[in-house]
Amino acid sequence: MQRGPIHLRHLLLWLLFALTRAELPMCKESDYHFEYTECDILGSRWRVAVPNKANICTGLPDPAKGTQCTFSCSEGEFLDMQSQQCQKCALGTYSLGTGVAFDEWDSMPSGFVTQGLTTNDGDAPTDCSNSTWTPMGDYVTSNTDECTATLSYAVSLKTPGTVSFEYLYPDDSLYFVFFVQNEQCQSTESKSRWMKTTERNFNKYKVDLNTGNNVLYWRTAAYTLQGSAVKPVLLRNITISGVAYTSECFHCKPGTHSAQEGSARCIPCPAETYSNKGAVICDQCEQGTYAKTGSGSCKPRPACTNSDYFYTHTPCDSEGKTQLMYKWINPKICNETVEGAVTLPASGKKQTCPPCNPGFFVTNSSSCEPCDEGFYSNGTACSKCPVGTEPVVGYEYKWWNTMPSNMKSSIFRREFGNSEHNNTAWAVAGEYVYTTAGDEDTDYLMLILSVPGYRLPQSMVEESERSELSRITFVFETTCTADCKFYFLAGYNHWNNDVVEQWKGSNSKQSYSYLIQRNSTASFTWTFQRSEEPNTERKYSADAAKIFSIHITNVIGGVASQCRRCALSSTKAGSACVPCPLGHYMVNGTGVCKSCPANTFIRADQPVGEAACVECGPNTQRNQAYTACFSDCALDVQTRGGVLLHYNFSPLSNVTGFHSRPSFTSKGLRYFHRFNLGLCGKEGRVPATCVENVTESGREVKGYVCQSTAVPSDIRSQSMVSTQPFIIGDTLIGVTTDTSLNSISSPKWLFPSASNLPDVIFYYKSSETTQACKQGRSATIRLRCSPSVTDKDHITLPSNCSEGTCDGCTFHFLWQSQHACPVCTKNNYKEIVSACIQGIQKTTYMWQQPLQCYGGESLPAQKVSACVSLDFWLKFGVSAGTIGAVLLISISCYFWKKTRKLQYKYSKLMVSSGGNECELPTADSCAIMEGEDAEDEIMDLTKKSFFTKMRPFSRERTSDGFDSVPLKSSSLYNHREEEDSDDD
């Protein structure tokens, strides 16, 4: 055990004790031990004897000059305080010299402190009290939830030293950092804080330490918020050097041994052996018992069952036969001789070999060989692709006679990282590959497929709109009686993978597809775990996972199972493929190219022929490479009233990002959903990108619409980190005002509106499928005219679906902006003409209310023109009326006077006729010529009133029916004048 130095005052107390207790018996060597005092400024110290118990003896040895403070022993040695010389550790023990080691984790070692903290900044109550590091015997394991778990250890170094440890960091859904703070509370550089993910084995990490106080920190937190399982970080064999001298050696723990003197480490016992504490050798287990590697005891062997063996096939022989072979699962722990045990079935039964996998052919020796370049096969014979077609290169495994060369299986066990002694985690079985029993039900049974890279076919052009570089499809099923889990992972090496999808419990035979978007995705892993229940050895061995087929496209160095037409672009020189021109398809079997209809693009996964030409959606146009459709952000909409509305969404075309309202995990951690949208744009547009910046992998996805999860964090001085990116829409389906398009619906009730102006909806689709979204994800972006909204990123989610989706597959967004309004035209404003004031009249233009347009036509400037006022026309009318009245009176007087003359002449003519109607009167005087005045006209007519003057015009009808017209004569006139006077 390590002894620390004591202060000089301890020496004085010991002298006082020796003087006052002289009557006690003399001390023996077993009654005391030696310790060093603290070093003085000269680097010297004293060795003093300290009693093990007080007041039991006297006569302790006198203080002696100690070794220099810089003195130390090598690994495997200890300092003998009696002789103050270094000596080698005995058998069954070990030492680190000037260091300490922590390799036993049955409980938390003294000095280590662990606690769980929240990263929620107090926004919601979070219970992280149980989110700590947990000792598990040979290692300590981290938390797997969103709380921050910290493991710390404080140490004081006498000389510059180091800290080293082994860690297993298999899952980048956690972040894992290690850093040191010195006595000035200064942390190590940030570049050494970040731990790299491991592959299959424990990695060793070492950091230099300075003299003085140092606090070591190991910190983890998970960022998987969708219920997927997270593998914890495992930590073991923590070693610190430079702390002080070592005055004794430590015994080897059970399950290990030290067979040599001066050992710095103890060696684990191999399988089928065990050891006790301080063992020199490992003992063999007795008959009928067994032990795993590093065991401290042996266990009875259970009776063998059908779950303790597996079957596989041998390679095909020259006769096309394969042998069915049965093997015990290694290490074999069962006993086949006890009552009720099963025996291993006989091997060697011959069966007909299954066909070769597509792209291979059967050789004369019945083995399978790949077809040459430019050829394809269905598993029997190779055929050359016809003119105008090219091979579809990839891997397709549907027959499992032997394990493919680029696939291997292994077992991951948390205790040791992996099982090198047992590589049979998955076995081939003809029509499928399946999981074997393994050692423990908690083991992870992994099947790993390595891929050298991907390359699009020569006739395809990789455009910015194309997000599919390759696609992997597999068919599987699981049969479980416990809480088994089946994972599918994709990553850039064997172990540094991301969990793409997971299934729990039993699952019927089904297919799953995953899109590959980057050449860095070079590894795929299928992992099966029967149970997370600890200490279960083959309790659920019958639970298994089966994979029936695996197909991955566009693989470099792959083989071809079929040929596709070359209909996208011209190929490189020397290619065997003779393609059709852009926008053309090849008529089946003829080699004749025909043009696709207008505004269509060519899908490589469509059948050969005219069906390969896919029509673009409404208000979209194909790109130049005929591989996809896009929107140029311009749109014309005909309303029901016959009005043509023109839209220009170019100001909204840049990639826009926004956060959802905060959500909280079960622990109370606050997180957000981060969405990035790339609404529209011509060819060469910048796609929306979502990244994962928790680990060094930096995985990213690109498309029109994507999502990631943003979580508060203090790592790398970032306030938020992004994780779990995925594509929502990578293909533009169409742009329309209809509320549904191609089975994608955007109901009006999601975003109610009182406006009579229709919303414009962009529809997107992603071909990436998941377990929950077997048809892929989709998205709708509803653009709504809001002239008052000047922000370009005013995007909201449905009020009743706070995460943007109600079913987890179709996402809905409402984008309100003045740039979502139709372009203004002359129909959107009116003119107002003012009154004519002082000869000036103004014309003003105003927008129709409510305003429902933006940009385009601007309001014309106010017009000013000369005018004639109303008082002028009034004066003019009065004057004209007066003149007209005077003229009318004058004309009336003139004609009245002429009538009087004619009346007089007629009256006089009638008087002179004597009353004979048939006789003409004789002339009694000279006729009065026109223009002459008669005498009777020289009458004072002016004395008569106007009505009196008009009376002669009145006619009296006689009894014979004729009108009586009085004639003018002097007598008659006098007579009537008398009558008038009588009337008065």
Side-chain angles (χ1 to χ4, degrees):
M1 181 179 296
Q2 177 185 341
R3 304 293 186 183
I6 62 174
H7 197 270
L8 185 60
R9 67 175 179 269
H10 292 170
L11 176 61
L12 299 176
L13 292 175
W14 177 85
L15 294 174
L16 180 62
F17 172 80
L19 293 174
T20 56
R21 305 296 293 178
E23 66 277 7
L24 296 177
M26 296 299 293
C27 292
K28 302 176 182 179
E29 290 186 4
S30 59
D31 295 330
Y32 61 88
H33 63 274
F34 291 107
E35 292 186 8
Y36 280 128
T37 63
E38 290 184 353
C39 297
D40 57 25
I41 59 176
L42 299 178
S44 300
R45 56 188 174 183
W46 290 81
R47 188 198 69 176
V48 296
V50 179
N52 295 329
K53 293 183 180 180
N55 303 329
I56 60 171
C57 65
T58 186
L60 292 172
D62 295 333
K65 186 72 174 179
T67 60
Q68 290 294 317
C69 293
T70 57
F71 178 84
S72 63
C73 294
S74 302
E75 290 184 344
E77 298 179 341
F78 72 100
L79 178 63
D80 182 6
M81 295 295 289
Q82 184 70 37
S83 63
Q84 298 195 65
Q85 297 294 324
C86 293
Q87 296 184 8
K88 290 186 178 181
C89 291
L91 299 177
T93 64
Y94 74 98
S95 79
L96 301 176
T98 59
V100 292
F102 303 94
D103 54 5
E104 294 187 55
W105 296 91
D106 296 323
S107 61
M108 193 65 70
S110 177
F112 280 87
V113 178
T114 179
Q115 58 180 339
L117 302 175
T118 177
T119 58
N120 205 29
D121 301 330
D123 289 345
T126 306
D127 183 13
C128 292
S129 59
N130 295 325
S131 300
T132 58
W133 289 75
T134 306
M136 300 294 292
D138 292 315
Y139 56 87
V140 58
T141 178
S142 72
N143 65 319
T144 57
D145 56 25
E146 59 270 22
C147 295
T148 299
T150 302
L151 179 69
S152 62
Y153 181 77
V155 62
S156 178
L157 300 187
K158 303 303 179 183
T159 60
T162 61
V163 56
S164 63
F165 55 88
E166 296 178 0
Y167 72 95
L168 184 65
Y169 179 19
D171 197 335
D172 58 7
S173 296
L174 287 88
Y175 87 86
F176 175 38
V177 294
F178 169 74
F179 60 96
V180 181
Q181 285 187 342
N182 57 23
E183 54 190 3
Q184 287 80 32
C185 294
Q186 295 175 343
S187 299
T188 55
E189 296 296 330
S190 59
K191 64 181 181 180
S192 63
R193 294 168 62 103
W194 195 254
M195 306 302 295
K196 295 183 178 180
T197 52
T198 59
E199 295 189 8
R200 290 180 297 169
N201 299 318
F202 278 83
N203 280 6
K204 190 171 183 179
Y205 189 77
K206 187 175 182 180
V207 175
D208 293 331
L209 301 177
N210 298 326
T211 303
N213 295 323
N214 294 267
V215 183
L216 316 179
Y217 292 95
W218 294 267
R219 181 174 295 173
T220 58
Y223 287 103
T224 299
L225 306 174
Q226 297 178 349
S228 58
V230 178
K231 298 182 181 66
V233 175
L234 308 184
L235 197 63
R236 71 181 185 184
N237 294 337
I238 300 176
T239 303
I240 304 172
S241 64
V243 291
Y245 61 88
T246 299
S247 59
E248 64 178 349
C249 297
F250 305 102
H251 292 285
C252 293
K253 66 178 182 177
T256 63
H257 69 288
S258 173
Q260 296 179 351
E261 291 184 348
S263 297
R265 292 285 187 278
C266 295
I267 302 173
C269 291
E272 308 302 336
T273 64
Y274 73 100
S275 70
N276 297 318
K277 186 174 183 179
V280 177
I281 60 173
C282 297
D283 298 324
Q284 193 72 28
C285 289
E286 297 179 358
Q287 185 71 23
T289 63
Y290 75 99
K292 298 183 297 183
T293 302
S295 297
S297 62
C298 296
K299 298 180 181 180
R301 293 183 181 272
C304 291
T305 65
N306 293 330
S307 299
D308 291 310
Y309 65 85
F310 67 97
Y311 63 93
T312 185
H313 292 76
T314 62
C316 294
D317 56 21
S318 58
E319 298 177 355
K321 300 291 184 180
T322 179
Q323 295 184 32
L324 187 63
M325 306 297 294
Y326 292 92
K327 299 179 181 180
W328 291 112
I329 296 174
N330 290 321
K332 181 184 177 184
I333 64 174
C334 67
N335 190 345
E336 56 183 314
T337 61
V338 299
E339 184 179 356
V342 300
T343 58
L344 189 68
S347 299
K349 181 180 179 181
K350 290 191 174 184
Q351 296 179 346
T352 302
C353 283
C356 294
N357 281 312
F360 290 79
F361 69 97
V362 182
T363 64
N364 294 333
S365 59
S366 297
S367 62
C368 295
E369 295 292 337
C371 294
D372 295 334
E373 184 177 357
F375 287 77
Y376 73 100
S377 81
N378 59 358
T380 53
C382 298
S383 302
K384 188 173 181 59
C385 289
V387 176
T389 63
E390 61 182 345
V392 182
V393 178
Y395 294 146
E396 186 173 0
Y397 305 115
K398 56 190 299 186
W399 301 107
W400 303 91
N401 186 49
T402 58
M403 187 68 72
S405 59
N406 60 338
M407 296 183 71
K408 64 179 180 178
S409 67
S410 64
I411 297 179
F412 167 75
R413 187 172 302 133
R414 290 182 176 180
E415 182 177 357
F416 297 104
N418 68 339
S419 297
E420 296 296 341
H421 58 274
N422 182 8
N423 292 322
T424 310
W426 292 72
V428 295
E431 295 182 353
Y432 54 84
V433 58
Y434 72 103
T435 54
T436 62
D439 293 342
E440 297 182 358
D441 291 339
T442 55
D443 291 344
Y444 290 93
L445 309 178
M446 301 185 301
L447 179 66
I448 304 168
L449 169 64
S450 300
V451 180
Y454 312 94
R455 182 174 56 224
L456 289 172
Q458 294 178 349
S459 64
M460 299 175 63
V461 179
E462 187 173 5
E463 298 291 331
S464 60
E465 291 86 355
R466 177 176 296 278
S467 60
E468 180 177 341
L469 178 62
S470 176
R471 180 190 295 263
I472 183 170
T473 304
F474 60 92
V475 179
F476 72 98
E477 73 175 7
T478 58
T479 304
C480 301
T481 57
D483 54 343
C484 70
K485 293 182 180 179
F486 182 58
Y487 304 91
F488 173 63
L489 305 93
Y492 53 85
N493 58 33
H494 291 168
W495 191 252
N496 202 354
N497 294 325
D498 296 318
V499 177
V500 175
E501 191 63 82
Q502 65 170 323
W503 296 264
K504 297 180 181 179
S506 297
N507 293 271
S508 59
K509 190 175 181 180
Q510 58 187 276
S511 175
Y512 178 81
S513 295
Y514 173 70
L515 296 184
I516 302 162
Q517 300 174 330
R518 297 192 303 172
N519 246 316
S520 59
T521 305
S523 175
F524 302 94
T525 304
W526 293 265
T527 301
F528 182 71
Q529 184 188 34
R530 291 182 169 86
S531 176
E532 293 185 344
E533 181 182 348
N535 300 323
T536 55
E537 297 182 1
R538 303 183 185 176
K539 181 179 179 182
Y540 305 107
S541 298
D543 296 355
K546 296 180 180 179
I547 297 179
F548 296 90
S549 64
I550 300 175
H551 184 204
I552 181 169
T553 62
N554 302 336
V555 178
I556 296 176
V559 295
S561 60
Q562 59 180 335
C563 298
R564 70 159 65 107
R565 77 277 179 275
C566 306
L568 297 184
S569 66
S570 59
T571 60
K572 299 179 181 179
S575 171
C577 181
V578 181
C580 290
L582 284 175
H584 290 68
Y585 66 93
M586 183 171 292
V587 181
N588 296 342
T590 63
V592 177
C593 296
K594 286 191 176 182
S595 175
C596 285
N599 204 30
T600 60
F601 69 100
I602 298 177
R603 285 269 299 273
D605 57 350
Q606 293 296 318
V608 177
E610 188 175 2
C613 304
V614 181
E615 185 178 2
C616 289
N619 299 302
T620 62
Q621 52 188 306
R622 59 153 183 82
N623 60 4
Q624 296 179 357
Y626 288 82
T627 57
C629 299
F630 67 93
S631 168
D632 60 359
C633 302
L635 178 68
D636 290 330
V637 175
Q638 189 82 25
T639 64
R640 294 181 178 180
V643 179
L644 181 63
L645 303 177
H646 178 70
Y647 292 86
N648 182 13
F649 303 121
S650 297
L652 306 178
S653 61
N654 294 331
V655 176
T656 304
F658 72 101
H659 289 92
S660 67
R661 294 194 298 269
S663 300
F664 297 89
T665 65
S666 58
K667 292 284 187 180
L669 175 67
R670 176 170 55 96
Y671 66 95
F672 304 87
H673 292 297
R674 170 77 180 182
F675 297 95
N676 286 338
L677 312 178
L679 183 69
C680 55
K682 298 181 179 180
E683 295 184 76
R685 65 179 180 85
V686 177
T689 304
C690 295
V691 301
E692 179 268 320
N693 61 3
V694 176
T695 65
E696 74 279 359
S697 63
R699 186 170 61 93
E700 64 180 22
V701 295
K702 296 182 179 181
Y704 281 98
V705 186
C706 63
Q707 177 191 318
S708 59
T709 302
V711 186
S713 173
D714 59 352
I715 63 174
R716 294 183 177 177
S717 302
Q718 300 180 36
S719 59
M720 302 286 287
V721 297
S722 178
T723 183
Q724 301 175 353
F726 62 86
I727 281 291
I728 298 177
D730 54 17
T731 303
L732 178 61
I733 302 299
V735 185
T736 179
T737 57
D738 297 335
T739 57
S740 64
L741 180 65
N742 288 4
S743 72
I744 306 175
S745 178
S746 176
K748 292 183 178 179
W749 56 264
L750 288 173
F751 303 104
S753 173
S755 174
N756 58 353
L757 193 66
D759 295 334
V760 177
I761 307 174
F762 282 71
Y763 290 87
Y764 304 94
K765 182 75 175 177
S766 171
S767 53
E768 180 179 338
T769 60
T770 64
Q771 182 184 6
C773 305
K774 298 186 183 300
Q775 303 300 321
R777 298 184 181 96
S778 57
T780 65
I781 302 179
R782 182 181 287 263
L783 298 180
R784 179 167 296 172
C785 174
S786 297
S788 60
V789 178
T790 58
D791 298 334
K792 293 184 179 180
D793 57 351
H794 187 71
I795 305 174
T796 56
L797 302 173
S799 58
N800 53 346
C801 303
S802 59
E803 296 184 353
T805 176
C806 300
D807 59 3
C809 299
T810 303
F811 292 76
H812 305 279
F813 308 93
L814 174 63
W815 196 337
Q816 300 181 72
S817 173
Q818 60 185 4
H819 301 291
C821 297
V823 175
C824 294
T825 63
K826 293 182 179 179
N827 297 328
N828 294 110
Y829 61 81
K830 60 183 178 180
E831 63 178 21
I832 300 176
V833 181
S834 66
C836 185
I837 301 175
Q838 297 181 352
I840 297 176
Q841 190 174 47
K842 298 179 179 180
T843 302
T844 306
Y845 297 90
M846 296 184 63
W847 292 112
Q848 299 279 2
Q849 296 299 325
L851 181 62
Q852 293 182 328
C853 69
Y854 180 80
E857 291 280 347
S858 57
L859 283 175
Q862 189 182 57
K863 293 182 180 180
V864 179
S865 58
C867 64
V868 180
S869 60
L870 180 61
D871 56 349
F872 170 80
W873 289 109
L874 182 61
K875 293 178 181 179
F876 177 79
V878 172
S879 301
T882 303
I883 295 173
V886 172
L887 181 60
L888 181 61
I889 293 173
S890 300
I891 294 174
S892 299
C893 291
Y894 171 76
F895 282 105
W896 177 75
K897 188 174 181 180
K898 292 290 284 184
T899 304
R900 287 289 303 273
K901 289 180 179 181
L902 291 175
Q903 183 180 9
Y904 172 75
K905 292 179 179 180
Y906 180 75
S907 299
K908 194 172 181 179
L909 181 61
M910 292 300 296
V911 171
S912 62
S913 66
N916 296 323
E917 296 180 359
C918 298
E919 296 180 1
L920 292 174
T922 58
D924 57 354
S925 63
C926 295
I928 300 177
M929 301 301 292
E930 184 177 359
E932 295 182 355
D933 294 334
E935 294 180 358
D936 293 339
E937 289 182 60
I938 312 174
M939 293 183 292
D940 190 10
L941 299 177
T942 60
K943 294 181 181 181
K944 301 295 183 179
S945 64
F946 177 77
F947 294 102
T948 304
K949 295 177 180 179
M950 294 299 295
R951 184 175 295 173
F953 288 94
S954 63
R955 298 181 177 181
E956 296 180 3
R957 185 173 297 276
T958 59
S959 59
D960 56 5
F962 294 94
D963 291 335
S964 173
V965 179
L967 299 176
K968 273 186 179 180
S969 65
S970 59
S971 58
L972 181 59
Y973 179 79
N974 293 334
H975 177 71
R976 290 203 176 169
E977 192 176 28
E978 291 176 357
E979 289 180 354
D980 292 337
S981 61
D982 291 339
D983 294 336
D984 294 336

